[in-house]
Amino acid sequence: MSDKQPSFLDASIPLITLIVLLSASVYLFGDNSSYGPNQVALFMATAVAVVIGLKNGYRWSIIEKAMVKGVSISLGAVLILLSVGALIGTWMLSGTVPTLIYYGLQLISPSWFYAASCLLCGIVAMSIGSSWTTAATIGVALIGVAQGLGLSPAITAGAIVSGAYFGDKISPLSETTNLAPAVAGADLFDHIRHMLWTTIPSYALALVLFTIIGFNADITSDFARINEISNVLQENFSISFVALIPLFVLLIMAVKKVPAFPTVFIGAMLGAVWAVFFQQDLMARLVEKDLAYALGSLKLIWHILHAGFAIETGNASLNSLLSGGGMSSMLNTIWLVFCAMMFGATIEKIGLLRKFVSSILYFAKSTGSLITSTIVTCFITNVLSADQYMSIVMPGRMFKEEYERRNLAPVNLSRTLEDGGTITSPLIPWNTCGAYMHSVLQVSPLDYAMYAFFNLINPVLAIIYAYCGIKILKLSPPDSVISEVAAKA
């Protein structure tokens, strides 16, 4: 371990390197930047950070252990990613996703589609406390409906992300909603009530914007195409409400707070069972058509669990719409997550992130600038550490004492951590959340970020509240005295 403190220049060099390399990656490779080039950029930025750490006296063995620990932290997310890939594949085969697409095409008006998608995802995520599960189930189906209606996948993904993170943010079942008050020292339900002041107006504005876009967009949905997709779905799958039972079971398990990994994996296995019982004609055709499935249903399901579902309808666009999933489809995302976590763990271990944050805090003189600094720090932590939880824990630890010193109630900090950390994570392509949304929705964060209105409005509204003094709570006199004594101690 080194006692030498890094300079602000030390802290800035890896960040500048990362920004330059990622910008070059996007410029040179476009939408393919997340399929290797971004990983290389993160590796090279990590190498720069390692050199700075060695310069400041850190031993390689210490830095290497930090990298391994950083990667190990992401293994829980990796298990969920692999399970989600399996779930999408079996839910395609079982008819669950095709049934959702079919009913969505019949019931949702194109003009209301974006707002309805945002609202539906918000309700589901609030009920189960998981933006990831919402995107992997309802979100996948809504992307399919959007393609069927001839609507923008990028705007649809923005609506899905907006709704999913709204519901996740205010649900007492959400991990981040529990984590933020725990770090700040606030009560969970006080935290949720205080968040409503910034969250509800932001969500309402997002719904208004999605409604305006829907009614003013040049709707070119071809009803002949909608009928064609509906007919293809009915010809290839057994469409019925029975096919939706795996979805309801998964939602019930999520509400009952069954951990995410077993919930999603059980959902995937249930989809496989449903396919055997309710999609026998489809499975028989696939087994008969492809010699790779010569051993029958068992080999077919086994293949789909790792390689995903694929169907031949005679129409290339419909084949793409109705195919996907498999554990292998998540391997690139896992690669990106590992590289990002390695970089984040390195800069945290050698003190670069703390130095950068302390430099920001130096300029936070007023309450408005303090809250703004916290939000900016959460976002920067999301960029650098590539982890949503880190963007809550690290700034929370660093700013907690300062909020107490200024006689600000803990709910101010817990709300700000969510306003700046939780909801900005899916906007960053190499963040675990952004990479996950990309792999599930098949839309890059670079494309949907400008349409994730809730995620964009909420931090801005929180800053406006801070400078205007709206719903900024002070510590009660007894708490204030206690905090002063604690600070002196």
Side-chain angles (χ1 to χ4, degrees):
M1 186 69 68
S2 171
D3 293 327
K4 183 178 180 181
Q5 295 298 313
S7 66
F8 183 76
L9 179 61
D10 287 339
S12 301
I13 289 175
L15 174 61
I16 294 172
T17 302
L18 181 64
I19 292 173
V20 170
L21 291 175
L22 289 173
S23 299
S25 171
V26 172
Y27 175 77
L28 294 172
F29 298 96
D31 291 341
N32 292 322
S33 60
S34 294
Y35 294 90
N38 285 351
Q39 287 86 330
V40 173
L42 286 162
F43 249 91
M44 295 174 68
T46 302
V48 172
V50 168
V51 170
I52 291 175
L54 295 174
K55 175 184 77 71
N56 289 341
Y58 284 87
R59 298 194 306 274
W60 164 248
S61 61
I62 298 295
I63 298 175
E64 184 181 37
K65 287 180 181 178
M67 290 182 185
V68 173
K69 183 179 179 181
V71 171
S72 68
I73 291 173
S74 67
L75 292 180
V78 167
L79 295 176
I80 297 173
L81 283 167
L82 293 172
S83 299
V84 166
L87 178 138
I88 293 174
T90 60
W91 280 23
M92 288 288 188
L93 180 65
S94 68
T96 302
V97 171
T99 297
L100 285 169
I101 294 174
Y102 178 84
Y103 287 127
L105 290 173
Q106 309 304 314
L107 299 176
I108 301 179
S109 166
S111 297
W112 288 100
F113 178 75
Y114 298 132
S117 297
C118 183
L119 185 62
L120 178 61
C121 289
I123 293 171
V124 173
M126 184 168 53
S127 301
I128 66 176
S130 173
S131 55
W132 282 29
T133 303
T134 301
T137 53
I138 306 297
V140 171
L142 288 171
I143 289 291
V145 174
Q147 294 178 10
L149 294 173
L151 298 173
S152 167
I155 300 177
T156 303
I160 292 167
V161 169
S162 292
Y165 275 82
F166 162 77
D168 188 310
K169 187 169 184 270
I170 66 172
S171 173
L173 304 177
S174 168
E175 292 177 342
T176 55
T177 307
N178 282 271
L179 179 61
V183 171
D187 175 77
L188 171 61
F189 291 100
D190 288 343
H191 164 66
I192 292 175
R193 283 191 291 270
H194 198 56
M195 275 202 303
L196 296 178
W197 288 95
T198 56
T199 304
I200 296 297
S202 301
Y203 189 55
L205 286 172
L207 289 174
V208 169
L209 290 173
F210 285 123
T211 302
I212 292 173
I213 290 177
F215 276 89
N216 288 277
D218 182 17
I219 303 296
T220 58
S221 56
D222 185 350
F223 290 101
R225 172 174 166 78
I226 294 175
N227 291 332
E228 179 187 5
I229 294 175
S230 299
N231 291 335
V232 168
L233 290 172
Q234 288 182 311
E235 290 171 1
N236 289 277
F237 301 91
S238 176
I239 303 295
S240 71
F241 282 105
V242 174
L244 300 180
I245 291 178
L247 171 62
F248 295 135
V249 172
L250 183 142
L251 296 180
I252 290 171
M253 287 193 296
V255 170
K256 294 294 185 180
K257 300 193 74 171
V258 178
F261 168 51
T263 294
V264 177
F265 188 71
I266 290 171
M269 294 298 100
L270 189 59
V273 172
W274 239 241
V276 171
F277 283 101
F278 301 105
Q279 301 294 339
Q280 294 178 356
D281 291 343
L282 171 62
M283 293 187 65
R285 290 200 307 271
L286 291 173
V287 170
E288 180 181 359
K289 185 175 181 179
D290 196 330
L291 294 177
Y293 305 141
L295 293 180
S297 299
L298 176 61
K299 187 173 181 179
L300 171 61
I301 292 174
W302 201 324
H303 177 86
I304 287 171
L305 284 169
H306 78 82
F309 177 76
I311 190 171
E312 178 56 55
T313 64
N315 184 307
S317 62
L318 294 184
N319 295 342
S320 176
L321 173 63
L322 300 173
S323 302
M327 292 183 179
S328 61
S329 68
M330 296 294 172
L331 294 180
N332 185 77
T333 301
I334 292 170
W335 178 22
L336 182 61
V337 168
F338 279 176
C339 293
M341 293 301 292
M342 185 175 67
F343 174 76
T346 301
I347 63 170
E348 182 191 13
K349 185 63 180 179
I350 64 178
L352 301 188
L353 190 56
R354 182 176 291 276
K355 179 63 179 180
F356 197 83
V357 170
S358 63
S359 300
I360 293 176
L361 186 60
Y362 176 79
F363 298 97
K365 305 300 183 183
S366 66
T367 298
S369 61
L370 175 63
I371 290 177
T372 301
S373 297
T374 308
I375 290 175
V376 171
T377 301
C378 290
F379 178 74
I380 291 174
T381 307
N382 259 326
V383 171
L384 295 179
S385 70
D387 182 66
Q388 180 187 54
Y389 300 111
M390 193 74 75
S391 73
I392 294 174
V393 173
M394 185 175 293
R397 289 200 306 247
M398 293 178 179
F399 285 95
K400 186 173 185 291
E401 184 178 337
E402 186 66 18
Y403 276 70
E404 291 176 351
R405 190 182 70 80
R406 300 192 188 194
N407 202 38
L408 295 171
V411 290
N412 296 298
L413 175 58
S414 63
R415 181 179 73 181
T416 304
L417 293 175
E418 293 244 58
D419 290 341
T422 301
I423 62 175
T424 62
S425 56
L427 306 180
I428 301 163
W430 56 91
N431 187 282
T432 52
C433 296
Y436 175 86
M437 292 297 164
H438 187 184
S439 64
V440 169
L441 303 178
Q442 295 299 301
V443 180
S444 171
L446 297 175
D447 295 325
Y448 71 63
M450 63 183 297
Y451 300 111
F453 297 129
F454 170 72
N455 306 67
L456 297 173
I457 293 171
N458 199 159
V460 175
L461 191 63
I463 292 172
I464 293 173
Y465 275 32
Y467 278 104
C468 294
I470 301 173
K471 299 306 293 183
I472 305 300
L473 301 184
K474 296 290 186 179
L475 285 168
S476 60
D479 291 338
S480 178
V481 172
I482 291 172
S483 67
E484 290 178 5
V485 171
K488 290 179 180 178

